[in-house]
Each structure stands twice: as structure tokens, then as C-alpha cells.
């Protein structure tokens, strides 16, 4: 909300207080000043000047050469505006002036060969409007040689204040003044009322009836007759433009002015357009349509609170008036509405219609129910003054159930308990009194205060403590330098994931983070997707069901910019609706699972001067996954299953499982899917369910004494049928060997016509040793030769010459 | 005669050995002097012809000669071998080594880790919670009344009327307080979602770290002390800070913590919007209504809570000017950190 400092000063004496102090103190007491425009600083160098003479520029058709009198001297100035004429009073920027628009300084310039000593300004250059059609021509009355800051009353300080939702009472100048009065311990005054009421009684001209008093607890109306609708006077237009409002006519301007003055939204009806000169406040019973004063037809759901006349709705209560009763230039008689509506009701209507106005913004937060009468009177007085109207005698004030001031107790010792320091009782009482609270009961330990109705946020003891804290200043709360830590059990639920990240990094992977919101085409690939009701765009309408589609998009994007080798990992949650569910009604209807994804593509090694290049392949992926599990000490308990057929993502894949539960799946991404992402190269990935992986108790690591006895190593190579797998052979080797065999490693694999058709050679290196003794040549030889003959028999394999 | 020959061979050897440049010449020298038919062996053969009287003397001289020459030969041989090794040692050290690739954590994770480390040092535990939350945990239990404008402070992605994507990590507070009894001292990091227009300063997902401490004597003064300690460890000693009153439905009194803008040192710049201050977190004392919702006695216990955005923190710390880069996963960006 924009607040004018000059306007504030109408109600409180701030003499001798610098504007930056006001900004600082407001911010530090909870009304955060987000931006400040100090007009005096901006406009102090601009002066009113008189155009003595205007000639054509000797070298340019569209430029004029002017002699400008600044009150002290005559200066030659080149001007490009079409409307400059001699005899005008204009805004002049002498050399050295900083121009607000574009933030540049005026210097002595030579324009088309002629020197110019300053600039005659247009409105846009002064940041007063967007108008650049010509220079700003001033009124005859302004004084030449004076600063425009004074002459054009450009001497205000306008603050943009962020009002938090708990402080609707501060959504007006008086609201800000009340806080300033408490902060500086000063008095403030409300605008004074001088009502000249006519002898005609309002009751004879209008009536008000509330049918729905729950949603409209109070409705105050006044009538001003024979008003002349016309332009507002300068002072009023000036007040409104300073805070960013566009003046319209005296009636509309007054209602806006009073809203920003007192915080009470007001509405002016053309009384003669109200059927039966009557106001009825009621909620609609069926769905209907209504045309608001912005000429838009709006659909109203049943149960919308409306202001009606004797026949029809004339305004959406608290939101916007109707076209059918708005003020026009021919309006003569005006009914002023100053009401208090139920905040939740206004909010509901505003949300349903998607229509938020300055009025609804205030009503849905809370408007002072005790303030409607004063606001109505203030409005009537100003409309009558500015439109030469006649205020009818009396007020219609329908207020069936008075909203009373709340009483809130305060125990002084609680202040220290919450804030950590004591505030003297007298100071506490003084602060609360300055904020408009009254002492209703007092004892040594406890006071009870009544709270003015505009402070809807003060209901409990803690609310009073907050007021004391903020007005006394958060800076006065001590910053302690010692804390005590209890020695109970500490948990770190992120430790497993942290460990996973460390391992992934040590394996050469870079972490990525993807937005879990994605388009349908991605979310539908992998699971039973969950839709967002109100997405920002169709690209972000679903939650991811797997980390893979998002990662493939990243791969595609990077390949596009020339990054063709990628080794990335991601840890993130994926979301799936349970298959038998249509809609989420409880936490049991969907799963949210933390997953880990390794994804790789491109070259495992670049070609270097020492080694040839090598591309990532399925075995790179397997190795990485196994190294990860080894580091977690899960390598011994997790089993592999291999599949050579295609599924939704892979054309070649395998799983890791524990006690029959699949922990993760990975493999080579199938071509068809890669094509969908426009990825021209092989991609390998593996996705783990971290929730499951985390739940496995690893065996942990125990110390093993370094081997004291020598190892014996034996190599063997066989020619097998091509169909024999590594896994079959290795399982058989282990099965056929005693506990003396400690490790088997495949070190060579090749196919060659010389081996025969459909044959391949696999060579293994076997390690034998015992923890207790040195093995003899004989026992190893015995075991080894037995193995050779068993393998030959089992697989019909031929031992190759060693 | 033999004696003369001895001195002849001695000087001849000395001349020869001085010219030795490589293994081949050395081998030739060895053959010339020390082989079976070499010059030294020949002398020993000749010794047989010497007189009985001369034999011991000459034999001794011959032995000395052989020892001397052998020693010289050996020393040259070692020299040659050494120099040969040196020759082989002359490799091009300027060639590049074979690099091992070590990956890295995302900058957001790194920033989170730093924050986590500091709070763990201050006695905090670390817990997590789901991103798809109930409206109750995300709003109602945190004292956001239904149909209250406070809900507008956080634009929400809804899944159904009662389920949503959490707009902050604060619902984890509710989960923690429902599960554990005080004292509770935890931080709760995680991903959050807001339905806000995407720009260089704002993205629809972001990370937060929430903190909560509930015990019998927790005060605002301790909240200030703890957060100042955090800020000094994280942003550096000697920074200036301020706590500004603010509003969050789940804390009261509430505050926002600002630190001196470390780019302009408080003079005012683009990053701090010319205020000289940077807002780094929101905090406050746990609202009694929240305690009521999780059945903790607010007369006996008090507590503080705080929350900070990680992306914003990382932007400030690393001088990044567009928040979207964190979720683009450009490999060239990821490798920088």
C-alpha cells in the first residue's frame, strides 16, 4: 500500500523527525517499508522558468531555439517539443540536474551546432506520467525561479508499505498514524466533522433492511441530495495521484479518499436508480448473473451476498457495485454505503468470482465494525462540500448485534517467559494504552485490557506480548550467547541419503535436481500419474512417477548444447496413485517414494595419448551399481536377475533384489524411447528405491586379519558354446570348488573363427588360499584339475592351451 | 720385461677407459683386457715363464694391476648404467596426467549440507517429511484458518481439495510434534512448491530448511542467539543483523532476520533493493494454537521455529543471478561446483 507522508501529517505532528527515521521505525515495528520515493530529493533541482523567446533552430527544422529566463539569468536552450511557445511557464532542468526517467544528468550540450544550457521537460521525463507529446506547460500562477518541489507540491515522501494479513487495521493512513503515535508516543487526531444537515429526514427518502445479518452485521447509510458531479479540487486529486490512484469525479474520488484515510470501503449509489429507494442485503438463493460497474457480466453462485434495491441486485456486497446503480454525470442524489461484511463471506465470493478489489481486499481481512458511522459521515461531509449537496438529516444504521470490544488478560511474568527479558510493568501498560487498549482490570500479576474493534488480530495473551515486543523494539530483546543442549538421542534421517550422495560423487557422478512437476507425456511413461488441480502450465500438470523421464530430458538438452558425455545422478521423490484408486482421499491412496537414479551416456574414457577411447556400456552401468552396493556393504545380500527382452523403458535390463523384493531396475534405454526424446546415442540408467534400500540392515564391516600365508593363482581358459553364460560358468566353478577357492575373475572373453562356429573363449583367474596354513602344490593341483575336467564335462568345453 | 708390460697395459687401459662412451665400447674394453685371451690374462700366462725369484714380486704387481683395472672398469660400468637410467628417466613431464573423475553434489545440496552441519553442531536432529501433504498439516494445523487471507501468502498447487504440494517445510513441524515429546530440537530440510510466476527470482519449486525447538524455557532471546550464531558461521563473522517484526500464522511473535548486504556492505545496491539489508529467514515463537493442535501444553512448553529458502541463500552466496539455473541441470553448470 502506498502511503503519503504529507497526508499522514494531517493527523499527527511529525515535526523534527526525518523521513528516513520514520521509514526505519515503521519497518522495525512491523509495517515494512519496501520502497520510498522522496519527491523533494528528486525534484529539488528543477525550477520554474519563463520562455522569453522562441526561434527556429538554424540547422534543424523540428528543433526550436529558446531563450529561457530562470529568474536569475537568461539561458539559450534547444527544445524539440512541438508545443513550446514564448510566454509559457515551463519546468526547466539546469545543467547538473538528474532526470528521473533514464537516470541521466543534464550537461552542456551542442545540438546541431548550437549550444544548449539545460532542458525544458515533458511529463514523462519527470516521471509524472507517460506523456511525451510535448513539454509540460505550467499554470500562470506559478513563480519563476522557484523549485517545482514547492511550486507544484512535489515535496511528498511516498512509502510503499507491505501490510501483513494480520494487520488490516493498518490499511489506511489513519491506521499507519495509530502505529506512529504508539512508536513516537505522540497524540494523533481524526479528521474533524462538521455536518450541515438539512431539515429533511433521511427516513423519508431511503430505507435499509438486512436479511442476512450473519454475513452483514452492520450497514450504515447516509444520503446527500442535489450533488453536482464534477472534477475534484486540486488538493484531492493530488492526494490520490500521490498514492497511485486516478482521479475520476468528486464523488468517486471522495469514496476512495476516505477508504485510504480511514480504511473503510465505501460505495456511492445513485439513489434515484434504486427501486423503492430501498436497500436490502441478502444472499442469493440460486445461481444468477450480474453486471458489475466495469461492464462485465459475472456468474454468481448461489449463496452470494448481494446488495439489492426493492427489485433487483445492485451490488456484490463488499466486492464491486453494479452498472445499474452507479454514479453518472447526471446523478443528483447519492446513497452512501458504509458497511461491515463478514470477512469469510467476502473472501469466498471474491475467490469464486476471481475478482479482487481494494474493497474486497479490506473486507476479507477485517474492517472496523465500529468505524462505519464515522466513515459515512466523513464521506457525506466531503461529498456535500465538493458537490454543493445537501446532507439529509440523520443516519440509517442497521446494526442488530453490536460487536463489542474483546477483553484479553495479560500475566506480566509470561512476557519474560516468551521473550527472554523483562519489560517494566509501567512500560507494558503504556505501550498497550498508546495502541488504543484500555485497562479493564488490574492486579499485581495480571491485567486485563479491552481491545479496540479495529484490532482483530489481538485476541490472546500472546497477541499482547507481540505488541509489546514490536513497539518496544526487537532490538531490545537480548541475543543470548549460550544455549544448553540436551543429551538425548539425536537422529539424522538424511544420513543414508547423504552417504549415497558421497558414494555417487566418488564414482564420478554429478548431482542433478529436476522439477517433479512435468507434462503428461513424461509422467505417463512410467507409472500411475497424479494430476495437479491448478497447474501453471500443461508442461507442469503432473507429478513425476519416476526419475527417468526427467533425466532423459536433461540428457537430450545437454546433448543439444554439445555435452555428449554425461554421468549424472539424482535423488528425489516420485509419486504414484495406487492402481485401484481414482482420487486421493487419504495418505493410503498413493505412494511417495524416494528414488536414486544413475544415468550415463557417451564416453567412459576419452581417447588420450595413453589409452584408446571407450564408450559407456551396460557393463559400465553394472560396475557402477555394484560399486555403490559394495560401499553400502550390501553386495553380498543383493541378487541380480537379467532380462534380454524389451519393457517400457529398456530393451536390455536387469534388477537388483533383496529377499524377493525388487530394489531397483536398470539397463539400456530402448531406441524407441530415445527417439521420443531426440537422443541419438545409447543411454544407460539404473533406478533404486531408496526407501527399500535404506530398510536393509547391512552386515557392516568387520576387521579381517591380513593374510599370513601365500596365495596360489591359477588361470584357465575354455572354449564354450556361445550360448553358455558367464553366470552359469561362474556358479558352477564355485559349486565344484572347496573353500580353498577364494576368488574368481574373468579376465578374457573373445570370439574368433579359429575357435569354431558359435564358440567363444572365456578365461578365468582363480585364487586359492587358506587363512590357517600354506597350501601345498599337490592339493591345489588336485582341486584345479578336478575343476578343469568338471567344467569340460558340464559345458562340453575345451581347455585352451595355457 | 713383464714389469714394463704391466705398466704399458696399465697406461694403455687408462687411455682406453677414458674414451668409453657406451656399453658396447665398455664390452670391447672388457674383452680386450679381461677375457680369457685378454691382455691381462696374457700377462698371467707370461708369469709362468718368469724366474722363481721374480715370480712373487711380479705376481703381486699383476694382482694389483688386475684389482686396479677391474675397479676402474666397474666404476665406469656403474657410471654408464646410471647415465643410461637417466637417459630413460628423461620423460616428458609436461604431458597431461590421467585424470580421475570425481563428481559433485548439486550446489543446492552443498548449501544444505553446510546449513545442516552448523545446526547439527548446535544440537539439532535432522528429519524429513512428504512433499504431497494434507491441507491440514500444511495449513490448518499451522493456524491458517480456512478462508483466511493468510493462505494467499503462499500460492498453492492443489491435488484435491484436501491434498496439496506442500508450500513450506513447516508441516513437518506438525508431524514431528505429533510423534515426539519435548524437548524437540530438529531441522527439517526439503523441497517445497509454490504456484508463483516463474522468473529469474522465483521458481515453482524450491528448497527450505525448517527449524524447531520446543522445551520448557525456550525464549525469543534464545532464538535470536541461535540464529545469529548460525548466520555468523554461515555468512561470516562480524556481520550486522536485525530482527524485524513480521507475520506467520504459526509463530507469534514473528520476525524476519536481515543481514547487512554483503555485496554493498549496507550502502545499498541492486541486490538488496537499495535498502542495505538482505532478508535471510523468517522465524518466531511457536503459536499456542499450533501447540494446541498437537496436544503440547503451551503453558508448560514454549518453542521457536524458523525457516529459510536454500535457493535464495545460494544465489546470494555464489553470485548467481537466475534461480532457474538450479533446475536446468546444464552439465556445464553442474561441473562448476
Amino acid at each position: 500500500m502506498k502511503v503519503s507522508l504529507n497526508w499522514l501529517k494531517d493527523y499527527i505532528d511529525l515535526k523534527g523527525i526525518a523521513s528516513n527515521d520514520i521509514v526505519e521505525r515503521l519497518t522495525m515495528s512491523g509495517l515494512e517499508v519496501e520502497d520510498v520515493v522522496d519527491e523533494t530529493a528528486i525534484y529539488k533541482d528543477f525550477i520554474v522558468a519563463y520562455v522569453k523567446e522562441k526561434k527556429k533552430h538554424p540547422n534543424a527544422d523540428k528543433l526550436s531555439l529558446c531563450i529561457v529566463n530562470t529568474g536569475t539569468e537568461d539561458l539559450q536552450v534547444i527544445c524539440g517539443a512541438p508545443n513550446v511557445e514564448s510566454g509559457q511557464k515551463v519546468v526547466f532542468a539546469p545543467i547538473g540536474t538528474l532526470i528521473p526517467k533514464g537516470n541521466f544528468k543534464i550537461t552542456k550540450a551542442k545540438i546541431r551546432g548550437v549550444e544548449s544550457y539545460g532542458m525544458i521537460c515533458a511529463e514523462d521525463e519527470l516521471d509524472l506520467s507517460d506523456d511525451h507529446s510535448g513539454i509540460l506547460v505550467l499554470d500562470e500562477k506559478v513563480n519563476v525561479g522557484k523549485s517545482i518541489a514547492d511550486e507544484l507540491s512535489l515535496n511528498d515522501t511516498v512509502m510503499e508499505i507491505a501490510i501483513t494479513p494480520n494487520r488490516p487495521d493498518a490499511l489506511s493512513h489513519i491506521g499507519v498514524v495509530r502505529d506512529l503515535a504508539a512508536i513516537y508516543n505522540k497524540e494523533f487526531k481524526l479528521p474533524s466533522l462538521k455536518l450541515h444537515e438539512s431539515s429533511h429526514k433521511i427516513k423519508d427518502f431511503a430505507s435499509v433492511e438486512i436479511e442476512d445479518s450473519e454475513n452483514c452485521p452492520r450497514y450504515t447509510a447516509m444520503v446527500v441530495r442535489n450533488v453536482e458531479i464534477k472534477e475534484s479540487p486540486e488538493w484531492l486529486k493530488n492526494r490520490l495521484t500521490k498514492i497511485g490512484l486516478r482521479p475520476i469525479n468528486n464523488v468517486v474520488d471522495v469514496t476512495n479518499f476516505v477508504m485510504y484515510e480511514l480504511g473503510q470501503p465505501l460505495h456511492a449509489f445513485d439513489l434515484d436508480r434504486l427501486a423503492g429507494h430501498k436497500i436490502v442485503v441478502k444472499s442469493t438463493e440460486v445461481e444468477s448473473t450480474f453486471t458489475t460497474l466495469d461492464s462485465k457480466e459475472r456468474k454468481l453462485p448461489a449463496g452470494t451476498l448481494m446488495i439489492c434495491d426493492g427489485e433487483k441486485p445492485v451490488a456484490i456486497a463488499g466486492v464491486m457495485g453494479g452498472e445499474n446503480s452507479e454514479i453518472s454525470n447526471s446523478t443528483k442524489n447519492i446513497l452512501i454505503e458504509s458497511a461491515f461484511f463478514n470477512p469469510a463471506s467476502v473472501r469466498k465470493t471474491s475467490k469464486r468470482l476471481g475478482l479482487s478489489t481494494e474493497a474486497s481486499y479490506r473486507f476479507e481481512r477485517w474492517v472496523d465494525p465500529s468505524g462505519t458511522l464515522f466513515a459515512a459521515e466523513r464521506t457525506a461531509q466531503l461529498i456535500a462540500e465538493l458537490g454543493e449537496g445537501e446532507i439529509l438529516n440523520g443516519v440509517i444504521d442497521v446494526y442488530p448485534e453490536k460487536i463489542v470490544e474483546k477483553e484479553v488478560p495479560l500475566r506480566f511474568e509470561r512476557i519474560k517467559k516468551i521473550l527472554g527479558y523483562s519489560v517494566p510493568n509501567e512500560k507494558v501498560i503504556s505501550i498497550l494504552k498508546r495502541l488504543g487498549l484500555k485497562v479493564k482490570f488490574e492486579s499485581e500479576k495480571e491485567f486485563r485490557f479491552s481491545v479496540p474493534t479495529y484490532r482483530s488480530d489481538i485476541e490472546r495473551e500472546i497477541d499482547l506480548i507481540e505488541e509489546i515486543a514490536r513497539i518496544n523494539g526487537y532490538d531490545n530483546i537480548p541475543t543470548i550467547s549460550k544455549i544448553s543442549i540436551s543429551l538425548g538421542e539425536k537422529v539424522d534421517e538424511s544420513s543414508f541419503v547423504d552417504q549415497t550422495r558421497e558414494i555417487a560423487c566418488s564414482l564420478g557422478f554429478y548431482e542433478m535436481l529436476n522439477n517433479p512437476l512435468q507434462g503428461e507425456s513424461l509422467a505417463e511413461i512410467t507409472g500411475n500419474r497424479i494430476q495437479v488441480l491448478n497447474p501453471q502450465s500443461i508442461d507442469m500438470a503432473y507429478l513425476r512417477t519416476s526419475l527417468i523421464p526427467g533425466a532423459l530430458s536433461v540428457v537430450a538438452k545437454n546433448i543439444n548444447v554439445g555435452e555428449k558425455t554425461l554421468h549424472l545422478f539424482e535423488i528425489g521423490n516420485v509419486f504414484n496413485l495406487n492402481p485401484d484408486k481414482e482420487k486421493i482421499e487419504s495418505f493410503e491412496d498413493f505412494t511417495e517414494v524416494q528414488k536414486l537414479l544413475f544415468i550415463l551416456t557417451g564416453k567412459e574414457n576419452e581417447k588420450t595419448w595413453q589409452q584408446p577411447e571407450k564408450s559407456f556400456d551396460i557393463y559400465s552401468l553394472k560396475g557402477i551399481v555394484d560399486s555403490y552396493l559394495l560401499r553400502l556393504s550390501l553386495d553380498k545380500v543383493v541378487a541380480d536377475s537379467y532380462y534380454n527382452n524389451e519393457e517400457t523403458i529398456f530393451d536390455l535390463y536387469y534388477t537388483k533384489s533383496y529377499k524377493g523384493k525388487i530394489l531397483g531396475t536398470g539397463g539400456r534405454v530402448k531406441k524407441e524411447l530415445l527417439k521420443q526424446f531426440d537422443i541419438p546415442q545409447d543411454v544407460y540408467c539404473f533406478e533404486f528405491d531408496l526407501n527399500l534400500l535404506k530398510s536393509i540392515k547391512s552386515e557392516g564391516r568387520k576387521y579381517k586379519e591380513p593374510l599370513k600365508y601365500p596365495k596360489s593363482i591359477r588361470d584357465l581358459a575354455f572354449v564354450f558354446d556361445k550360448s553358455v553364460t558367464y553366470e552359469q560358468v561362474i556358479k558352477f566353478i564355485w559349486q565344484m570348488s572347496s573353500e580353498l577357492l577364494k576368488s574368481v575373475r574373468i579376465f578374457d572373453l573373445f570370439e574368433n573363427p579359429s575357435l569354431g562356429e558359435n564358440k567363444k573363449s572365456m578365461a578365468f583367474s582363480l585364487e586359492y588360499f587358506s587363512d590357517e596354513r600354506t597350501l601345498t602344490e599337490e592339493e591345489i593341483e588336485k582341486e584345479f584339475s578336478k575343476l578343469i575336467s568338471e567344467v569340460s564335462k558340464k559345458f562340453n568345453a575345451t581347455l585352451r592351451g595355457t | 720385461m713383464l714389469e714394463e708390460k704391466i705398466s704399458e697395459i696399465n697406461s694403455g687401459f687408462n687411455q682406453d677407459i677414458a674414451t668409453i662412451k657406451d656399453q658396447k665400447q665398455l664390452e670391447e674394453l672388457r674383452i680386450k683386457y679381461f677375457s680369457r685371451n685378454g691382455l691381462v690374462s696374457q700377462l698371467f700366462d707370461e708369469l709362468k715363464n718368469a724366474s722363481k725369484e721374480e715370480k712373487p714380486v711380479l705376481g703381486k704387481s699383476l694382482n694389483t694391476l688386475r684389482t686396479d683395472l677391474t675397479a676402474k672398469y666397474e666404476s665406469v660400468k656403474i657410471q654408464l648404467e646410471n647415465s643410461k637410467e637417466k637417459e630413460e628417466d628423461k620423460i616428458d613431464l609436461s604431458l597431461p596426467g590421467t585424470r580421475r573423475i570425481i563428481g559433485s553434489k548439486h550446489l543446492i545440496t552443498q548449501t544444505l549440507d553446510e546449513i545442516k552441519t552448523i545446526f547439527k553442531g548446535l544440537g539439532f536432529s535432522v528429519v524429513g517429511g512428504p512433499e504431497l501433504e494434507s491441507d491440514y498439516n500444511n495449513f490448518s494445523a499451522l493456524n491458517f484458518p480456512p478462508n483466511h487471507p493468510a493462505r494467499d501468502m503462499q500460492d498453492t498447487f492443489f491435488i484435491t481439495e484436501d491434498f496439496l504440494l506442500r508450500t513450506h517445510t513447516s508441516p513437518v513441524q506438525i508431524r514431528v510434534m505429533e510423534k515426539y515429546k519435548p524437548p524437540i530440537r530438529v531441522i527439517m530440510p526439503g523441497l517445497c512448491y509454490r504456484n508463483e510466476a516463474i522468473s529469474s527470482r522465483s521458481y515453482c519449486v524450491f528448497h527450505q530448511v525448517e527449524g524447531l525447538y520446543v522445551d520448557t524455557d525456550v525464549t525469543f532471546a534464545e532464538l535470536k542467539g541461535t540464529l545469529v550464531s548460525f548466520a555468523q558461521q554461515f555468512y561470516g563473522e562480524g556481520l550486522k543483523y536485525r530482527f524485524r517484526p513480521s507475520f506467520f500464522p504459526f509463530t507469534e511473535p514473528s520476525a524476519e532476520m536481515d543481514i547487512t548486504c554483503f555485496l554493498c556492505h549496507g550502502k545499498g545496491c541492486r541486490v538488496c533493493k537499495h535498502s542495505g539489508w538482505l532478508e535471510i529467514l523468517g522465524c518466531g515463537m511457536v503459536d499456542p494454537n499450533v501447540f494446541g493442535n498437537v496436544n503440547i501444553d503451551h503453558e508448560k512448553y514454549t518453542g521457536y521455529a524458523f525457516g529459510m529458502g536454500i535457493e535464495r541463500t545460494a544465489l546470494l552466496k555464489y553470485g548467481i543471478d537466475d534461480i532457474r539455473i538450479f533446475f536446468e541441470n546444464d552439465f556445464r553448470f553442474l561441473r562448476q561446483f
Side-chain angles (χ1 to χ4, degrees), chain B residues 136 139-144 174 177-178 287-296 298:
Chain B
Y136 175 79
F139 286 128
S140 306
L142 288 164
N143 198 32
F144 286 79
I174 298 300
M177 287 192 281
E178 280 173 345
D287 193 289
N289 288 354
V290 175
F291 280 143
N293 290 336
V294 294
N295 291 319
I296 289 178
H298 71 259

Side-chain angles (χ1 to χ4, degrees), chain A residues 262-273:
Chain A
L262 303 175
Q264 170 70 51
L266 299 141
H267 188 67
F269 291 103
D270 185 333
L271 180 62
D272 299 319
R273 296 172 77 181

Side-chain angles (χ1 to χ4, degrees), chain B residues 19-35:
Chain B
T19 65
I20 297 296
K21 294 230 168 57
D22 57 29
Q23 292 283 349
K24 199 176 146 228
Q25 288 174 345
L26 186 71
E27 183 61 10
E28 280 164 12
L29 181 87
R30 188 188 66 80
I31 291 164
K32 182 173 173 188
Y33 289 94
F34 303 118
S35 68

Side-chain angles (χ1 to χ4, degrees), chain A residues 24 27-30 32 164-166 344 347-348 351 364-365 411 414 416-420 457 460-463 465-466 469-470 474-480 483-486 489-494 498 501-502 504-517 530-536 540 543-544 554 557-558 561 563 565-569 573 575 583-587 590 592 604 609-611, chain B residues 95-96 98 101-106 108-109 113 116 120-123 125-128 130-134 147-153 156-161 163 165 175 179-180 183 185 191 193-198 203-205 207 213 216-222 224-226 228 241-247 252-256 285 287-289 298-300 302 326-332 334-335:
Chain A
E24 167 84 7
T27 297
M28 292 307 282
S29 63
E32 188 191 355
T164 51
N166 60 324
R347 178 174 162 87
K348 219 164 70 189
K351 282 265 149 187
E364 68 180 28
R365 277 161 176 73
R411 293 162 295 172
R414 286 299 286 186
K416 187 171 184 210
K417 173 116 176 140
I418 300 289
L419 302 180
D457 60 321
R460 305 163 299 166
E461 183 177 60
I462 192 73
D463 302 323
I465 294 173
E466 179 183 43
R470 75 178 180 93
Y474 280 16
D475 284 347
N476 284 325
I477 301 173
T479 304
I480 62 162
I483 60 168
S484 66
I485 296 174
S486 55
E489 195 195 354
K490 300 269 179 292
V491 292
D492 183 353
E493 289 183 6
S494 64
D498 286 345
R501 284 200 178 93
E502 297 289 347
C505 292
S506 69
L507 290 169
F509 283 76
Y510 292 86
E511 187 182 17
M512 61 178 162
L513 288 174
N514 279 298
N515 182 350
L517 295 169
I530 295 170
Q531 192 171 1
V532 177
L533 272 185
N534 55 334
Q536 218 167 65
M540 292 196 281
L543 282 165
R544 62 184 171 198
V554 168
K557 254 193 320 199
N558 275 295
V561 296
E563 290 292 330
T565 289
L566 301 163
H567 22 101
L568 297 163
F569 78 101
N573 293 5
F575 308 81
K583 197 184 161 202
I584 293 174
E585 278 159 0
S586 80
F587 282 102
F590 67 95
E592 177 175 343
E604 186 158 22
W609 59 279
Q610 276 185 316
Q611 61 185 16
Chain B
L95 280 168
T98 314
I101 295 171
I102 300 168
S104 67
K105 294 183 212 174
H106 196 281
I108 294 300
T109 308
D113 280 356
K116 240 158 55 176
K120 279 169 89 168
L122 294 171
S125 286
V126 184
V127 300
E131 293 164 22
L132 206 168
E133 258 293 5
S134 64
N147 277 321
H148 193 276
R151 290 190 176 216
D152 293 346
M153 293 165 84
T156 311
F157 286 117
F158 285 96
I159 301 297
T160 66
E161 214 164 280
F163 283 85
L165 297 173
R175 290 174 173 273
K179 191 170 161 193
Y180 302 101
R185 198 194 303 247
L191 190 67
Y193 301 71
R194 292 218 186 145
N195 195 353
E196 285 169 2
I198 295 173
Y203 193 62
C204 50
V205 296
H207 293 77
Y213 177 35
T216 46
D217 287 304
V218 183
T219 65
F220 203 109
E222 176 159 357
K224 278 180 77 176
T226 305
V228 167
Y241 58 85
R242 68 177 191 186
F243 286 82
R244 218 172 0 92
S246 188
F247 169 71
E252 182 157 353
S254 303
E256 279 174 319
M285 301 302 291
D287 193 289
N289 288 354
H298 71 259
E299 281 292 309
K300 185 172 171 197
T302 51
F326 292 128
F327 295 93
E328 268 162 16
N329 299 307
D330 188 319
F331 203 45
R332 297 165 297 184
L334 297 179
R335 271 186 313 214

Side-chain angles (χ1 to χ4, degrees), chain A residues 235-253:
Chain A
W235 72 264
L236 178 55
K237 289 200 286 187
N238 193 31
R239 282 276 180 263
L240 296 180
T241 48
K242 283 288 146 77
I243 59 165
L245 296 182
R246 196 164 51 88
I248 294 166
N249 59 45
N250 51 356
V251 174
V252 175
D253 292 352

Side-chain angles (χ1 to χ4, degrees), chain B residues 250-292:
Chain B
F250 43 103
T251 53
E252 182 157 353
S254 303
E256 279 174 319
M257 183 180 181
D258 297 340
I259 57 170
T260 331
C261 177
F262 40 73
L263 289 171
C264 63
H265 304 285
K267 282 190 210 97
C269 66
R270 191 178 56 86
V271 171
C272 62
K273 289 198 218 148
H274 305 282
S275 70
W277 295 99
L278 290 173
E279 179 196 322
I280 57 163
L281 54 82
C283 59
M285 301 302 291
V286 178
D287 193 289
N289 288 354
V290 175
F291 280 143

